[in-house]
Amino acid sequence: LELDPGQRDVLMQIGSLHEAMGDFSAAEAAFQEYAEEFPENHQVLTQLARLARRQGNLEEARAFYERALLLAPSNVGLMVGMGTLERAMGNFDEALNQYHEALSLAGTPEERIQVYSAMESHHMARGQVGKSIEIMDESFTEMAVSLPSFMILLQRLTEAGTYAEAGRTEEAWGIVEQARAELPPPYDLMAPLGEMDIHLALEDTDGLEATLPAVETAITTLQYELIRPTLLAAQGELHFLKGEYREAIMAFEEQRRLAPANASVQRELGRCYRELGEYDQAVTLMQEALAISPFGPRANFEMALTYEAMGLMDEARVHLARALEVWAEADPGYKWAARARQVSERIGRG
């Protein structure tokens, strides 16, 4: 790349563009070239760390984060990134330590919101939905400092399903009704987004089928294509729940095309191929998801079900045990932990 030395920052933009398009090799090449020119720049090391993780190179990601933290030891974003990496590798206590330290150093509402978001995801992954909601509420308090109330309400819509998953369905629907009553036009069109989230949490196929057209209308009317992958994920889940696995694959593949960095798509695709009996493809996709997050409980659970379907019970028990380890302190009513325990009773300990 022939660039004037003063234009080296263009490399960062090129790398970010390639990353957004899912071309991780080209992104890495651009970031590495920048890092060679500016080895003391912690921002490019952060980009390389995130990229390494997305490619399943977790120890390499850790090394980049450690180098970056030596250069910027009080950087909240770096601490959050390291904490999220620790969570992916099963070091849950260390992940929380990183988040709490980051929170103690966060000096702005934006930084605190970033930490709260990571902590919320951490507790959701462990099936601690009630704790996740507590942290979510802290985040909304921070948002109130700098955002108008209607923007906060829009954000709350995307979390309505979390309340439903915690068994707090009345509160979940209350968020939707508040959005309908208080969001100014045309943002009131976004209320069905909350409905969709609730129906997903409840696995309500009739409700989903009735709501998805309204979400499509909101996206096209507001030209808000940023949430198109969210709609595609819901469409894929609807097809999956109805046993329409080929149609589900089409939706999830389109989601992956639009959001290539979302590792959960491989897991969802793997579930579909398992139900079709295409086990090799299912295992390959699950392995891709687990390379990025070896202790991802849902991916481990789905891999266990896949190996069980293949008759590979020892392999199934390994992944099931890992999922149950992550969910060891889940809320009593958390559905995925309950389902994992049912499978454990079915396949035993070997």
Side-chain angles (χ1 to χ4, degrees):
L1 183 64
E2 296 293 333
L3 288 176
D4 180 272
Q7 296 178 308
R8 286 289 180 181
D9 284 353
V10 174
L11 284 168
M12 291 287 279
Q13 298 171 21
I14 291 172
S16 296
L17 180 61
H18 283 303
E19 184 179 2
M21 295 172 63
D23 189 347
F24 297 147
S25 295
E28 184 177 12
F31 291 143
Q32 283 284 11
E33 186 174 348
Y34 187 96
E36 290 169 8
E37 186 78 16
F38 303 104
E40 302 300 304
N41 185 295
H42 73 271
Q43 292 174 323
V44 72
L45 294 174
T46 305
Q47 297 277 43
L48 285 165
R50 189 175 67 247
L51 199 58
R53 193 202 156 190
R54 286 179 174 174
Q55 296 178 92
N57 302 321
L58 304 189
E59 289 300 337
E60 183 181 346
R62 183 195 293 279
F64 280 127
Y65 274 127
E66 288 174 347
R67 284 175 56 191
L69 282 164
L70 286 173
L71 297 169
S74 300
N75 186 283
V76 170
L78 281 173
M79 291 179 181
V80 169
M82 179 64 98
T84 301
L85 178 64
E86 295 288 6
R87 187 187 88 202
M89 298 175 74
N91 303 319
F92 301 112
D93 289 342
E94 181 56 33
L96 278 179
N97 288 339
Q98 286 282 347
Y99 296 148
H100 286 302
E101 185 176 357
L103 191 59
S104 72
L105 293 171
T108 66
E110 291 74 18
E111 287 181 335
R112 287 188 285 275
I113 289 168
Q114 183 182 13
V115 180
Y116 285 138
S117 177
M119 293 174 72
E120 178 188 337
S121 297
H122 175 97
H123 289 291
M124 278 298 295
R126 302 210 68 189
Q128 298 162 350
V129 187
K131 183 65 175 176
S132 182
I133 289 174
E134 288 179 22
I135 293 168
M136 187 196 313
D137 289 340
E138 294 282 353
S139 184
F140 287 135
T141 299
E142 290 292 343
M143 289 181 194
V145 174
S146 56
L147 293 178
S149 59
F150 85 92
M151 291 293 293
I152 298 171
L153 187 49
L154 283 171
Q155 183 65 34
R156 284 178 63 83
L157 275 174
T158 67
E159 303 286 2
T162 306
Y163 288 88
E165 194 152 352
R168 296 159 63 172
T169 311
E170 187 174 339
E171 290 177 67
W173 286 113
I175 293 170
V176 174
E177 292 307 314
Q178 183 184 4
R180 291 193 186 284
E182 297 182 13
L183 285 176
Y187 297 107
D188 56 335
L189 291 173
M190 295 293 285
L193 191 64
E195 293 183 54
M196 181 181 77
D197 205 41
I198 294 169
H199 293 311
L200 279 170
L202 300 177
E203 298 181 341
D204 175 6
T205 55
D206 290 340
L208 263 179
E209 202 148 24
T211 301
L212 294 184
V215 177
E216 174 65 44
T217 297
I219 292 173
T220 54
T221 302
L222 298 173
Q223 298 183 334
Y224 195 29
E225 289 296 322
L226 187 65
I227 60 173
R228 173 75 59 187
T230 303
L231 173 59
L232 287 163
Q235 290 170 334
E237 182 65 11
L238 173 61
H239 286 304
F240 182 89
L241 291 170
K242 293 172 67 177
E244 300 166 351
Y245 303 120
R246 292 292 178 196
E247 291 85 350
I249 287 170
M250 291 175 62
F252 288 131
E253 285 289 7
E254 180 64 7
Q255 181 194 6
R256 179 158 66 165
R257 186 185 72 81
L258 294 178
N262 186 342
S264 69
V265 182
Q266 283 94 321
R267 181 192 73 211
E268 299 305 318
L269 284 166
R271 296 169 72 204
C272 297
Y273 282 107
R274 178 188 68 229
E275 296 304 317
L276 290 167
E278 298 179 25
Y279 298 129
D280 288 346
Q281 181 72 350
V283 168
T284 296
L285 286 158
M286 297 293 185
Q287 287 173 337
E288 289 177 12
L290 288 168
I292 297 168
S293 188
F295 279 78
R298 281 290 310 284
N300 275 287
F301 177 59
E302 299 296 345
M303 182 68 104
L305 292 178
T306 303
Y307 280 133
E308 182 194 13
M310 297 169 70
L312 301 173
M313 295 304 176
D314 288 343
E315 290 86 345
R317 292 183 189 104
V318 168
H319 287 281
L320 187 60
R322 181 165 287 186
L324 286 169
E325 177 187 349
V326 178
W327 289 327
E329 299 176 5
D331 294 345
Y334 185 62
K335 68 183 179 185
W336 292 107
R339 291 173 184 179
R341 287 191 294 270
Q342 289 173 355
V343 175
S344 182
E345 290 174 5
R346 184 168 72 231
I347 67 175
R349 297 175 179 267

